[in-house]
Amino acid sequence: MEDRRGEWVVLQVSGEMDLVTSPAVRQHVHDAVAEGRHWLVLDLSEVRFCDSSGVGVLIAARRLMRSCSGRLRLILPPQGAAHGSHVHRVLAALGVRRLFDVYPDLDAATEPDQDENAVDSLSA
């Protein structure tokens, strides 16, 4: 579930982000910060379901990373959005998609200074 790519900690999340599984994701985020890792990528490309508790974890992760002057990036591949990516639809429906820097893949997400190049086309 966790990998490192340069200065980035990459957490691969798959399956569902719901009331049962979201606490584990939250714990991994907190563990990374406790270890002094403040640049975090959440790879959500394999998440097929996300409920409000999953969205809550994403928002809390964003808040935590901002509080420690860190960075948070999400991976939501454009092909997933074109085919109805569930996470993208949920974030967009709740009006919180704009809060996150979203990238199409791991290479793009871990390149330095890419926040201004985040994928905005996912909202289309």
Side-chain angles (χ1 to χ4, degrees), residues 1-109:
M1 182 172 188
E2 181 178 318
D3 192 16
R4 300 208 179 183
R5 170 95 48 115
E7 56 200 331
W8 293 95
V9 172
V10 180
L11 297 177
Q12 171 72 43
V13 183
S14 60
E16 300 181 353
M17 283 185 63
D18 59 17
L19 187 60
V20 174
T21 60
S22 292
V25 176
R26 181 184 313 266
Q27 188 61 53
H28 284 291
V29 171
H30 283 268
D31 290 347
V33 171
E35 293 171 5
R37 306 289 291 193
H38 297 163
W39 289 25
L40 179 65
V41 174
L42 291 177
D43 184 348
L44 306 176
S45 58
E46 298 296 322
V47 173
R48 64 182 182 274
F49 176 79
C50 181
D51 69 8
S52 60
S53 57
V55 173
V57 166
L58 297 177
I59 291 171
R62 178 183 181 271
R63 186 178 308 124
L64 176 62
M65 299 313 289
R66 290 174 61 97
S67 74
C68 65
S69 299
R71 300 172 93 176
L72 174 66
R73 295 177 177 176
L74 306 182
I75 297 176
L76 291 173
Q79 72 187 69
H83 292 94
S85 168
H86 181 78
V87 176
H88 170 70
R89 285 195 322 261
V90 169
L91 295 177
L94 294 173
V96 297
R97 163 56 187 86
R98 63 181 171 70
L99 298 177
F100 298 98
D101 295 321
V102 175
Y103 295 84
D105 56 44
L106 183 58
D107 290 334

